[in-house]
Amino acid sequence: MTNAGLFRRLPVVVMVMTLASCAAAGKRAAPIGVRIANATHAVDVTARGETAPVGTPNADAADDPAIWRNAADPAQSLIVGTDKKAGLYVYGLDGKTRDFLDAGRVNNVDLRDGVTINGQSGILVVASDRNDAANANIALFRLDPGTAKLAALGKVDGGRGEAYGICLYREGTATYAFIVLKDGTVNQIALDASGATPTGRMVRTLKLGTQSEGCAVDDRTGILYVAEEDVGLWRFDARATGSTGATKIAAADGGNLVMDAEGVAIAPIGTRDGYVLVSSQGDNAYVAYRLTDDSYAGRFRVINGKIGGSEETDGIDLMLGNFGPDYPGGLFVAQDGHNATAAQNFKLVAWDDIARALGIAH
């Protein structure tokens, strides 16, 4: 039986993971006590696809996905996913592995198309590199959409501390990476991959109080969203000249959002509307908030269907648009922390299914 099934069928008293059981699962435990007794209702959806498992078995290894949409041939879109013990995978929408690049301990990943790389426009992939736990790095790669192969470009300094989360932001012709360190420090790095060797320049530093990881930027509005795992979801001004102050959107208080708050993704609709989604890892759910006013929009779970559900999700990504007949309105990808008897993998869910279940715009 999956964790999601246990949550629906057993009393709250057995839902609490002990420090020992969390450690055995490779997860950081929340304080002992009732974690989801007050959690609000979540609607159920099922996945339409899944990726092959990552190569590291019997470990908390798969972590974070990033989606590239092939506008000319949506069914040929790609997903980049991290095995944080080993490197980066590239998957097709059929879930099959198209490439693997040994990059060591890379935690989170993001990408942007249309970035100048070695003098030509291309798909820039960045990963938070924690091979040196004392000094964060940003590892840069180019994704070839034709071959689905990754090519390493080099690394740039991300600041002192252990690299956890990462997300990209485009402002005009400039490309920035926000690298989230384990202690809640968020460094904004101006990236330049146009030459033979990529360079990075630290622009400013933002700060949250405790361990943080997932982040995403809305390029339309210049707003950065960051999940502080045991505290909640925050937003910052992403502009290089903007305020460094943080605004809390939601508390991880066991109501709508149950700690650990982990992955973050954005569903942009129109010029300013849409939703920010965050992984409510503590109760195997995902929470949506409206971008216009930060208000709560609903919660959902990915449960067992023809394909298994997803539990204890770390990273998520979401992109709207046509991805072919299985995902006509958009694609949501979630790391699955309990993939039956196999190694961890990523589940693929149609955005239309999520939006209909929540009763929200899509």
Side-chain angles (χ1 to χ4, degrees), residues 5-362:
L6 286 170
F7 284 132
R8 289 193 297 273
R9 296 177 59 181
L10 297 182
V12 170
V13 65
V14 301
M15 299 177 198
V16 180
M17 294 184 75
T18 66
L19 290 169
S21 64
C22 285
K27 303 289 185 179
R28 185 175 57 85
I32 296 299
V34 176
R35 299 172 61 193
I36 65 170
N38 299 316
T40 52
H41 173 70
V43 298
D44 294 337
V45 299
T46 55
R48 297 191 183 189
E50 64 179 334
T51 68
V54 298
T56 303
N58 304 316
D60 179 28
D63 196 275
D64 191 46
I67 301 167
W68 174 73
R69 178 176 174 269
N70 187 330
D73 189 355
Q76 297 303 310
S77 300
L78 299 170
I79 300 164
V80 180
T82 60
D83 179 335
K84 62 189 176 187
K85 312 289 187 181
L88 290 166
Y89 284 88
V90 181
Y91 304 100
L93 294 188
D94 59 3
K96 294 181 180 178
T97 300
R98 301 286 301 279
D99 189 31
F100 172 75
L101 184 65
D102 182 354
R105 300 177 68 223
V106 288
N107 209 56
N108 281 19
V109 65
D110 199 7
L111 61 81
R112 286 291 190 279
D113 204 344
V115 178
T116 301
I117 306 171
N118 301 144
Q120 296 182 335
S121 179
I123 306 166
L124 179 67
V125 177
V126 298
S128 54
D129 187 305
R130 55 193 291 214
N131 287 291
D132 179 353
N135 296 285
N137 283 290
I138 300 171
L140 290 81
F141 310 86
R142 181 171 190 157
L143 174 63
D144 185 323
T147 64
K149 301 295 184 183
L150 287 165
L153 300 173
K155 299 180 183 182
V156 300
D157 182 19
R160 183 159 181 78
E162 186 173 359
Y164 256 44
I166 198 164
C167 50
L168 288 173
Y169 168 47
R170 299 294 303 278
E171 184 180 6
T173 59
T175 301
Y176 298 96
F178 289 94
I179 184 162
V180 182
L181 308 186
K182 185 175 182 179
D183 67 356
T185 300
V186 183
N187 292 326
Q188 183 172 3
I189 312 294
L191 297 177
D192 185 353
S194 62
T197 302
T199 62
R201 175 177 56 86
M202 189 176 298
V203 173
R204 61 182 184 146
T205 295
L206 313 172
K207 191 71 175 74
L208 293 173
T210 62
Q211 184 166 316
S212 306
E213 185 172 355
C215 69
V217 183
D218 188 341
D219 287 347
R220 305 168 307 163
T221 59
I223 297 176
L224 164 69
Y225 298 88
V226 184
E228 186 178 3
E229 295 188 4
D230 292 347
V231 178
L233 181 65
W234 300 83
R235 60 175 167 84
F236 292 89
D237 189 334
R239 296 172 298 175
T241 58
S243 167
T244 58
T247 300
K248 183 183 282 189
I249 294 174
D253 58 5
N256 296 331
L257 183 59
V258 181
M259 60 182 182
D260 300 337
E262 292 260 354
V264 181
I266 293 171
I269 299 174
T271 57
R272 298 188 64 86
D273 292 342
Y275 307 91
V276 56
L277 275 64
V278 59
S279 169
S280 178
Q281 191 184 80
D283 72 331
N284 301 335
Y286 311 90
V287 191
Y289 299 93
R290 296 177 182 87
L291 295 176
T292 49
D293 59 5
D294 300 336
S295 62
Y296 169 74
R299 308 173 78 245
F300 66 96
R301 291 192 178 96
V302 181
I303 63 167
N304 290 341
K306 292 182 178 179
I307 292 169
S310 58
E311 295 87 32
E312 288 196 12
T313 294
D314 288 325
I316 60 175
D317 198 16
L318 170 62
M319 184 172 285
L320 305 190
N322 177 22
F323 281 83
D326 289 334
Y327 312 98
L331 174 64
F332 174 79
V333 180
Q335 182 259 6
D336 181 13
H338 293 282
N339 185 33
T341 58
Q344 295 177 345
N345 71 345
F346 300 91
K347 297 301 192 284
L348 282 59
V349 185
W351 169 247
D352 288 348
D353 293 344
I354 296 168
R356 278 194 294 266
L358 292 175
I360 60 177
H362 63 289

